Amino acid sequence: MADQVDWSSSANEALHISFVQAGQETPVKLSTFHPKFTYPIFGEEECIFGYQGLNINLRFAAHDLLPNLAVTYDKKFKTVQDTKALDIEETLSAWIPEVSFEATSDFNHKLQSATDAKNWRPPGTLIETYTRRGRAFEIWCAELTDPAVRQLIDRIQVLVSLFIEGGTPIPLDDQDWSLARWQVFFV
């Protein structure tokens, strides 16, 4: 069997998280960074077996946090008996919404044609505005019972597990867990 090291990738290095917005012709990255932790998703070793030159790009539209996943690699390990490459999309399907798996071209088209992106406002009520270093900020408050708020939280909460030690996503569909008790603040 091939040397495992040759076919293992650091999940923390392979995963690129970006916030993007519409550009002149194609989406423009506003910020790209790596996660702090990937063990909740990929295991304690934070390694992904079965790829060489692996890149996992998880992009979020800056205005409404619409996610998109694109996985690329130079080579994929050919299955030998019970040893096979990790199915990255299947592994991530428990952590990110289904819409994340749309084709990148569809995501780019949605982003480029989003007429509401420039004037997008968070759901809820504007409760405060302030200025720091010449930049204006707004604080919005909404309840987790609002479907628009739940959609935003569902799209972005994978970051809890990637950046907060021991952090876990909140259960948005558990009937015993009261959504009405939570208020969400957006800045």
Side-chain angles (χ1 to χ4, degrees):
M1 186 171 94
D3 186 3
Q4 274 197 329
V5 174
D6 291 342
W7 292 101
S8 292
S9 303
S10 164
N12 291 348
E13 292 175 18
L15 181 55
H16 304 265
I17 302 164
S18 301
F19 288 94
V20 297
Q21 69 182 17
Q24 292 287 47
E25 295 178 23
T26 61
V28 175
K29 290 181 184 177
L30 301 175
S31 180
T32 299
F33 45 93
H34 294 281
K36 178 99 172 130
F37 311 105
T38 53
Y39 69 84
I41 300 171
F42 297 108
E44 287 297 318
E45 299 297 319
E46 297 183 322
C47 281
I48 299 170
F49 176 77
Y51 302 89
Q52 292 180 350
L54 178 63
N55 279 300
I56 305 168
N57 295 300
L58 180 58
R59 301 184 305 161
F60 294 93
H63 66 290
D64 66 0
L65 304 176
L66 179 68
N68 180 253
L69 178 70
V71 179
T72 60
Y73 49 85
D74 297 332
K75 289 184 182 179
K76 184 174 180 180
F77 183 79
K78 289 183 172 64
T79 301
V80 176
Q81 296 175 354
D82 291 339
T83 306
K84 61 182 178 180
L86 178 72
D87 186 332
I88 295 168
E89 289 187 5
E90 181 182 318
T91 301
L92 285 170
S93 68
W95 295 88
I96 58 178
E98 191 173 321
V99 69
S100 307
F101 300 99
E102 287 185 354
T104 299
S105 59
D106 293 342
F107 173 82
N108 290 346
H109 178 72
K110 283 181 184 178
L111 191 60
Q112 288 298 113
S113 61
T115 57
D116 64 337
K118 192 170 190 156
N119 298 316
W120 186 87
R121 297 283 182 248
T125 305
L126 176 64
I127 60 170
E128 185 74 41
T129 60
Y130 65 95
T131 304
R132 288 280 190 275
R133 297 182 184 156
R135 293 184 61 195
F137 295 90
E138 300 175 337
I139 301 174
W140 293 74
C141 178
E143 290 188 6
L144 204 46
T145 54
D146 181 337
V149 174
R150 280 198 314 275
Q151 181 182 55
L152 287 171
I153 298 299
D154 186 48
R155 289 176 172 180
I156 200 71
Q157 71 176 341
V158 66
L159 297 184
V160 170
S161 299
L162 297 174
F163 290 97
I164 300 172
E165 179 76 37
T168 58
I170 58 176
L172 296 175
D173 56 358
D174 185 349
Q175 297 303 316
D176 294 332
W177 197 78
S178 175
L179 298 178
R181 69 181 176 166
W182 295 103
Q183 290 186 319
V184 178
F185 293 88
F186 299 97
V187 178

